[in-house]
Amino acid sequence: MDSNSLIFKTATELSGELESGNCKAVEIAQAYLEQIDRVDGKVHAFLHRDDDDFLAQAKDSDERREKGETLGPLDGIPVCLKDVISVEGQPLTAASKILQDYVSPYDATVTRKLKAAGAVIGGRLNLDEFAMGSSTENSAYGPTRNPWDLERVPGGSSGGSSAAVAAREAPLTLGSDTGGSIRQPASLCGVVGMKPTYGMVSRYGLAAFASSLDQIGPFSQTVEDTALLLETISGHDPLDSTSYPTEVPSYSEFLKQKHEPCTLGLPKEFFGEGMDDEVRTAVEKAIEFYKGKGYEIVDLSLPTTDLSIPVYYVIATAEASSNLARYDGIRYTSRSERAENAVDVYAKSRGEGFGEEVKRRCILGAYGLSSGYYDAYYLRAQKTRTLIRQDFERAFEKVDAILTPTSPTPAFKFGAKSEDPISMYLSDVYTISTNLAGLPGLSVPCGFTESGLPIGLQLIGKAFDEGTLLSIAHDFDRELQFGRQAPNLED
Ligand code: GLN
């Protein structure tokens, strides 16, 4: 098959081509490597590639298929991972200088599950250092560019994962979402991105940022592909005590069934000021679409979600300051050459190894946890977090899912927010409350601005009700397919 046509296919389509013998996994792998060669000089989604290993995995898949031992629909399909998810024998930098020489000694649980499903694991994808940011400008190895406009950010922190799918450098990728880091870049790059319920996907082998908020989740062109990847990586894992012992249904089978239209809620706090006009118009059109399909649309209020950003920045930084204490110049990390004594080893290694945003957060977090301030900041933030969760619980007594924009604006220009942390933090104003409440949320492309920048629609679901959430998103995506449009990256 023509390699140029392969890279535009969805994972589900590629799987069909493999099954009907129209192409080989090695051809698919080669087609993506050629595309990465063609466009990644501009996009910079990848931090590291191991082409020999990638092709060897594809060859193994072809051999399995010849013997009739195929492992399932993802067998032979490339999946690339954000550079915070461990793959045995491959580097993991978290886009930080402090981990520049680190090689993972084991597989993350998601990696193990992907390998067991026959997926062909590709290169390492760029991000904001330790997943802290909304633009990938905080990567120590240079930013990723938005494939729709190379002057603009791809969003973050999983900007490499969203840009790689948008630039057709991979059909599927994984990212992590602590406050919006899957959904916001998906929205800015015009692809589907999903954060599962907290506890749905094991965090074992994920470099931790804020452990009570972090979740791994998929990126793809379509909701159908997201369902396929989600069911592969989900499920209880004894190695992650916060992973939940729940049954994982086959979401892809569930999407094939007929579903009655249900009730969607519009929280008034998410439709106020600060939203770009073109984002508002695109989201309103999506609401009309759902009405036309027979969905009931109701207004509701999530009053405490107005406090999500301050609550998040107290809790996430507190957890980060504790999680990142392990990078100490002794374990994992490179050690400062200027260190002359034990204290120097810590101070100089961390001082040289961490970027500005990571340092800001470690300091903020340690401050919020320190004696005398703990009650005023950390404890209060935790109590407010409970109120935010209760807002959602009340809303879900009346509605099946909540509909909002994913991001207040389309992709912004490099430098537009990087000097002002607060304006950058506001990029996640619609996504953060979902993490605080532990709920599943996804962003599905819902249109473009006049200048051709993608816009995303966010749907938030009930805990562990990923099936309903995906089926609502699929109703829209199956017909409108905005994520199937690809940017033009020719010179
Ligand atoms: N942008 C948010 C932050 O900087 C969220 C990051 C994330 O979800 N990893 O913390």
Side-chain angles (χ1 to χ4, degrees):
M1 271 185 97
D2 172 15
S3 68
N4 214 6
S5 76
L6 286 175
I7 58 165
F8 292 101
K9 293 192 186 294
T10 65
T12 307
E13 289 168 351
L14 288 172
S15 186
E17 301 292 357
L18 285 169
E19 202 176 312
S20 46
N22 293 339
C23 70
K24 300 250 181 245
V26 166
E27 287 170 60
I28 295 177
Q30 264 157 350
Y32 281 104
L33 290 178
E34 282 165 26
Q35 175 70 351
I36 297 169
D37 284 340
R38 250 192 314 265
V39 304
D40 209 55
K42 296 177 194 163
V43 175
H44 188 45
F46 285 86
L47 290 178
H48 176 79
R49 285 163 59 177
D50 185 341
D51 295 356
D52 292 342
D53 176 62
F54 187 59
L55 289 167
Q57 293 176 64
K59 192 161 162 272
D60 287 348
S61 167
D62 285 332
E63 283 169 9
R64 277 195 296 276
R65 196 171 293 275
E66 268 159 37
K67 287 191 256 161
E69 291 169 2
T70 300
L71 298 168
L74 282 187
D75 202 336
I77 307 295
V79 184
C80 298
L81 311 186
K82 184 178 182 178
D83 199 20
V84 277
I85 300 173
S86 308
V87 178
E88 188 181 341
Q90 294 293 334
L92 182 157
T93 67
S96 182
K97 256 185 8 204
I98 209 160
L99 287 176
Q100 62 191 354
D101 301 318
Y102 179 75
V103 173
S104 297
Y106 63 91
D107 280 335
T109 295
V110 292
T111 307
R112 186 175 50 72
K113 286 184 181 244
L114 286 172
K115 287 182 175 171
V120 177
I121 302 201
R124 316 286 304 155
L125 295 166
N126 201 11
L127 65 148
D128 287 293
E129 186 177 2
F130 284 105
M132 298 177 187
S134 307
S135 67
T136 74
E137 289 168 291
N138 296 339
S139 168
Y141 304 104
T144 297
R145 296 182 174 273
N146 191 313
W148 292 94
D149 177 348
L150 298 170
E151 303 294 305
R152 290 174 191 266
V153 306
S157 63
S158 313
S161 306
S162 62
V165 174
R168 305 303 186 247
E169 296 173 280
L172 299 172
T173 62
L174 288 182
S176 64
D177 188 314
T178 307
S181 276
I182 291 177
R183 291 159 289 156
Q184 184 259 14
S187 162
L188 271 45
C189 287
V191 299
V192 179
M194 179 166 189
K195 181 201 94 73
T197 309
Y198 184 79
M200 192 72 192
V201 177
S202 169
R203 292 180 297 106
Y204 180 74
L206 168 71
F209 161 14
S211 308
S212 78
L213 300 157
D214 298 341
Q215 270 293 283
I216 295 173
F219 287 89
S220 62
Q221 290 177 39
T222 62
V223 170
E224 191 183 32
D225 275 7
T226 282
L228 184 60
L229 186 49
L230 182 69
E231 71 200 20
T232 310
I233 60 170
S234 295
H236 180 244
D237 176 13
L239 297 171
D240 171 5
S241 60
T242 62
S243 84
Y244 195 71
T246 181
E247 278 300 304
V248 182
S250 166
Y251 298 119
S252 10
E253 285 307 313
F254 188 71
L255 289 190
K256 289 182 193 144
Q257 296 160 16
K258 176 145 180 47
H259 301 283
E260 292 306 316
C262 52
T263 309
L264 303 178
L266 308 180
K268 70 172 194 288
E269 292 75 12
F270 289 60
F271 286 88
E273 277 172 30
M275 196 196 307
D276 177 274
D277 287 342
E278 289 184 281
V279 171
R280 190 181 298 272
T281 307
V283 172
E284 280 169 0
K285 272 197 191 152
I287 296 169
E288 287 311 311
F289 172 92
Y290 278 112
K291 279 188 188 156
K293 288 271 158 209
Y295 279 76
E296 191 185 341
I297 309 287
V298 300
D299 290 322
L300 53 87
S301 173
L302 300 166
T304 330
T305 56
D306 278 347
L307 295 171
S308 296
I309 292 200
V311 167
Y312 170 86
Y313 277 96
V314 173
I315 294 175
T317 58
E319 294 184 17
S321 75
S322 158
N323 274 326
L324 271 57
R326 75 191 67 175
Y327 306 112
D328 54 8
I330 296 170
R331 297 161 298 167
Y332 308 105
T333 64
S334 50
R335 182 171 306 173
S336 169
E337 285 174 4
R338 297 186 305 121
E340 287 176 3
N341 56 45
V343 173
D344 264 11
V345 169
Y346 296 107
K348 293 199 172 134
S349 304
R350 287 168 69 82
E352 290 164 17
F354 286 147
E356 197 184 330
E357 183 63 24
V358 173
K359 286 180 193 160
R360 180 180 298 122
R361 296 201 188 194
C362 288
I363 293 168
L364 257 175
Y367 182 83
L369 287 173
S370 57
S371 88
Y373 294 105
Y374 180 93
D375 288 1
Y377 293 107
Y378 186 72
L379 190 63
R380 231 163 140 196
Q382 289 291 15
K383 288 181 177 167
T384 314
R385 180 177 187 175
T386 303
L387 297 178
I388 291 171
R389 190 167 50 232
Q390 288 168 348
D391 275 2
F392 279 103
E393 279 164 13
R394 269 190 296 276
F396 282 121
E397 286 167 12
K398 286 182 272 178
V399 302
D400 299 290
I402 291 171
L403 184 156
T404 78
T406 307
S407 165
T409 65
F412 45 91
K413 290 217 157 131
F414 286 102
K417 303 187 186 205
S418 49
E419 296 306 314
D420 177 1
I422 304 282
S423 91
M424 188 71 88
Y425 295 173
L426 287 171
S427 311
D428 301 303
V429 62
Y430 303 139
T431 49
I432 275 180
S433 51
T434 317
N435 301 71
L436 290 168
L439 301 171
L442 66 76
S443 180
V444 58
C446 72
F448 292 88
T449 65
E450 239 168 59
S451 61
L453 297 174
I455 300 172
L457 174 75
Q458 178 175 234
L459 292 160
I460 305 168
K462 296 179 187 169
F464 300 108
D465 194 8
E466 270 73 2
T468 303
L469 184 61
L470 286 162
S471 76
I472 295 169
H474 186 52
D475 263 357
F476 180 84
D477 190 48
R478 170 175 49 195
E479 279 188 35
L480 295 165
Q481 304 239 308
F482 289 110
R484 304 272 345 236
Q485 296 187 34
N488 181 2
L489 283 160
E490 304 294 316
D491 287 320

